[in-house]
Each structure stands twice: as structure tokens, then as C-alpha cells.
Amino acid sequence: SMGLSSMMRCTALPATAIARMIGDGTISIRGTQSQEMVVPPERLQQDLANRGVMVEKTLYTGEEA
């Protein structure tokens, strides 16, 4: 767990992944932007997975209730 709490990991790791993407030119749009619009989700998920944070997606259609 790298000695970090869950909250620390969920705050710091995505922020540093996004900072690396800005630094390497993956994200070239400047200014205030919604991360959902400019961050490539597959790259972010891979970066987090490389650091032990697994993202699981579940789609509920309403039929499960």
C-alpha cells in the first residue's frame, strides 16, 4: 500500500498520473478543463493499475432491482 491511506492514494495517484500526462504532452489542452473531457480514461486506469489501484466498472440497467 506504499504506506498511504486509501484517501491519500485516491487523491494523490490520479493527480500525479494526470500531471505526468500533461508533462509528456498526452494532455495538451491548457486552462481549466473538466478532467472527464481531457484525460484519456484507459491511460489513467492503466497508470493506477500499475500502482495497485484497480478500477472496476459496473453498469446497472435498472433490471437488477
Side-chain angles (χ1 to χ4, degrees):
S1 72
M2 299 184 278
L4 301 173
S5 71
S6 294
M7 182 58 84
M8 291 169 145
R9 291 167 46 108
C10 289
T11 301
L13 296 179
T16 57
I18 292 168
R20 281 192 295 277
M21 286 186 248
I22 292 169
D24 72 15
T26 299
I27 299 172
S28 59
I29 297 172
R30 298 295 181 234
T32 303
Q33 304 291 326
S34 167
Q35 79 179 37
E36 293 83 5
M37 301 302 291
V38 298
V39 177
E42 297 82 14
R43 167 98 184 258
L44 180 60
Q45 283 184 327
Q46 185 60 54
D47 195 284
L48 294 175
N50 291 344
R51 286 157 182 75
V53 177
M54 304 307 296
V55 177
E56 184 176 307
K57 179 171 59 174
T58 304
L59 175 63
Y60 293 99
T61 62
E63 297 174 15
E64 293 81 7

